[in-house]
Amino acid sequence: MIFPSDTYKRMTSSPGGMKFIHEVIARSIKLKNEGKEIVDCGLGESSHGLLAKVIEAGMEALKKDEFYYVRPTQGLVELRAEISRQISKEFQLSVDSENVIVTPGAELGIDLVFKSILNPGDEVVIFDPFFIPFATIAITYGARPVFVDTFENGFLPSLKLMKKKISKKTKIIILNSPNNPTGRVFNKKLVEEITFFAKERKIYLLSDETYCFFDFEKIFFSPFNIYPEGTIVVRSFSKQYSMMGYKVGYIVSSTKIANYIKALQIPGWAAPRISSLMALAALKSSNPQSVIENYESKRDNLYKGLNEFGLVDYLPEGAFYFYLKCPSGNSLNFALELADKGLLVIPAFSTKNTHVRLSYGAIEKEQIPKILDAIESVL
Ligand SMILES: Cc1ncc(COP(=O)(O)O)c(C=O)c1O
């Protein structure tokens, strides 16, 4: 008889609502198979398509049959050099390419960061609601997620509440702005307050900047600006360049942490070569302004309806999510009811069970009336 490992048990009982997600997705697949049309506002995907130069780079790599593994494991030299050039410019700092580690997606980047610095018993401060893997990965390595509630503060972190959760065991505070699942972007003053506190206490900051491109009000501010020695930045090509399935992300950190991570990166875990070449082409081109305008316009149209229904009371400044309050207070039931009406949304993303996340990343503007009709029909 084979029993699951303790890691399995820890991961599968991790907070955030992963079980609910499986349940709602299974329901929507069943309905689809039965022929029902489902508008997919479930997974966080962008849909503006690959840039022409990115497709060209991928085709070129295929033609040359670039079959070999990426060496060194921390990423294609040219890609890391371009990231270091752009990051140095953005932060007005000299960031060496040795401080940049390319990973097969940002999620695996988070995994490597936690694996390299967390010990069993360490505490990881997470603002609730949250991107579920933050908690799951921390728990995998025996650390304890410590949640700071933001529900009463418009989903913005409160320094006062956070300080109450800090202990001698606090190893990392996670900032995720623009935020998944709330769409909030934390302003400079707020980021500065948290960052100065972390710096004074010598606590690491993990800054997940996966959505920094989706910053409609130009509010985004990275803690790396003021605490580069203790901030670990994680970014991704997935959403900004619609490259989800190509799996490329990267970490920017101090030399000390970068060296830990390099030592842990098993050679087979490098980001794929073809994806890395496409990511390099993406960095060298840029999305036209119309891309961001299109997301902003979808946000504005949806907001009007969702706000009238009383499901959301703030305009999300970034990412491509709405975090909706469920009238019955039960997110799983609300999501299942909506699936039956032809709309897939994801419940929870929290220790609470009161909200669902609606992703408008991959929908067309023309689908908005259908989304609002489905919601209205269950209110
Ligand atoms: C906050 C956040 N971080 C990281 C990721 C993962 O990105 P990647 O596709 O690069 O693994 C996501 C994807 O949804 C995300 O929402």
Side-chain angles (χ1 to χ4, degrees):
M1 186 81 160
I2 295 175
F3 294 103
S5 65
D6 290 345
T7 307
Y8 171 93
K9 287 182 206 154
R10 280 203 302 273
M11 283 185 80
T12 49
S13 57
S14 154
M18 194 59 95
K19 273 189 208 148
F20 295 168
I21 298 182
H22 291 311
E23 194 170 336
V24 174
I25 290 180
R27 171 80 70 101
S28 78
I29 292 173
K30 181 173 173 283
L31 290 165
K32 246 190 209 166
N33 290 342
E34 287 166 7
K36 184 156 181 81
E37 194 191 329
I38 303 278
V39 181
D40 193 341
C41 293
L43 289 185
E45 289 171 325
S46 58
S47 61
H48 51 280
L50 295 178
L51 290 160
K53 293 271 184 212
V54 174
I55 297 176
E56 244 173 62
M59 301 288 260
E60 198 56 27
L62 270 180
K63 269 194 234 147
K64 286 191 191 156
D65 190 9
E66 304 223 31
F67 58 85
Y68 34 91
Y69 288 127
V70 164
R71 300 180 185 82
T73 309
Q74 60 261 35
L76 213 62
V77 171
E78 308 88 299
L79 177 57
R80 284 167 50 235
E82 184 59 23
I83 294 169
S84 97
R85 197 184 67 73
Q86 294 202 10
I87 289 282
S88 300
K89 192 169 160 215
E90 177 179 339
F91 291 104
Q92 305 282 298
L93 275 171
S94 169
V95 177
D96 195 89
S97 61
E98 286 303 319
N99 296 60
V100 175
I101 292 172
V102 173
T103 53
E107 240 167 74
L108 279 157
I110 298 165
D111 186 278
L112 278 166
V113 171
F114 284 5
K115 202 196 303 254
S116 64
I117 58 176
L118 285 181
N119 281 316
D122 282 347
E123 293 177 357
V124 176
V125 168
I126 300 175
F127 294 101
D128 186 7
F130 58 95
F131 177 56
I132 301 169
F134 293 147
T136 314
I137 301 171
I139 287 172
T140 309
Y141 296 113
R144 194 170 79 85
V146 173
F147 296 103
V148 182
D149 195 294
T150 66
F151 283 76
E152 298 302 317
N153 199 37
F155 302 120
L156 293 171
S158 143
L159 182 70
K160 200 168 139 209
L161 286 185
M162 187 192 85
K163 280 184 178 170
K164 288 188 187 158
K165 299 291 181 97
I166 300 292
S167 81
K168 284 202 177 88
K169 293 181 181 165
T170 309
K171 190 66 142 308
I172 307 178
I173 298 169
I174 301 181
L175 283 181
N176 173 213
S177 167
N179 186 269
N180 176 9
T182 66
R184 295 242 73 157
V185 185
F186 309 158
N187 67 37
K188 184 173 177 205
K189 184 167 168 286
L190 185 51
V191 174
E192 276 177 348
E193 280 174 359
I194 295 171
T195 308
F196 286 134
F197 176 85
K199 188 171 173 160
E200 192 192 307
R201 298 288 189 99
K202 296 192 169 48
I203 297 170
Y204 288 117
L205 280 180
L206 177 85
S207 184
D208 183 324
E209 302 176 3
T210 293
Y211 298 94
C212 60
F213 172 70
F214 300 89
D215 173 30
F216 309 121
E217 317 297 335
K218 302 272 171 289
I219 296 174
F220 170 69
F221 181 77
S222 170
F224 197 75
N225 280 297
I226 40 183
Y227 184 30
E229 68 280 20
T231 299
I232 304 156
V233 171
V234 174
R235 289 193 182 177
S236 171
F237 287 84
S238 291
K239 325 282 170 169
Q240 179 167 357
Y241 299 104
S242 263
M243 286 179 61
M244 281 77 53
Y246 297 93
K247 296 305 292 179
V248 196
Y250 61 92
I251 305 164
V252 180
S253 70
S254 67
T255 305
K256 195 163 123 188
I257 291 184
N259 284 340
Y260 294 157
I261 295 173
K262 282 176 207 170
L264 287 180
Q265 246 185 333
I266 292 169
W269 293 358
R273 188 175 183 81
I274 185 165
S275 304
S276 302
L277 289 164
M278 291 165 76
L280 177 61
L283 272 188
K284 287 185 170 171
S285 354
S286 58
N287 282 313
Q289 181 62 18
S290 58
V291 168
I292 199 72
E293 284 168 2
N294 188 36
Y295 285 93
E296 196 176 345
S297 148
K298 284 194 280 185
R299 173 197 68 164
D300 293 346
N301 283 323
L302 270 167
Y303 177 70
K304 258 177 82 202
L306 297 170
N307 180 256
E308 268 168 30
F309 294 152
L311 299 180
V312 68
D313 58 7
Y314 65 93
L315 180 69
E317 302 89 356
F320 39 67
Y321 302 118
F322 281 95
Y323 197 52
L324 306 176
K325 193 169 172 49
C326 308
S328 66
N330 183 320
S331 67
L332 177 62
N333 288 348
F334 190 54
L336 289 171
E337 274 179 65
L338 285 173
D340 289 341
K341 298 289 176 190
L343 175 64
L344 175 62
V345 296
I346 304 287
F349 283 92
S350 169
T351 57
K352 301 177 202 252
N353 184 17
T354 53
H355 287 63
V356 295
R357 187 193 75 178
L358 182 151
S359 167
Y360 58 89
I363 56 146
E364 301 298 331
K365 244 187 243 167
E366 295 68 37
Q367 291 175 294
I368 291 177
K370 257 193 195 153
I371 294 171
L372 296 175
D373 284 350
I375 295 176
E376 194 171 21
S377 73
V378 301
L379 291 179

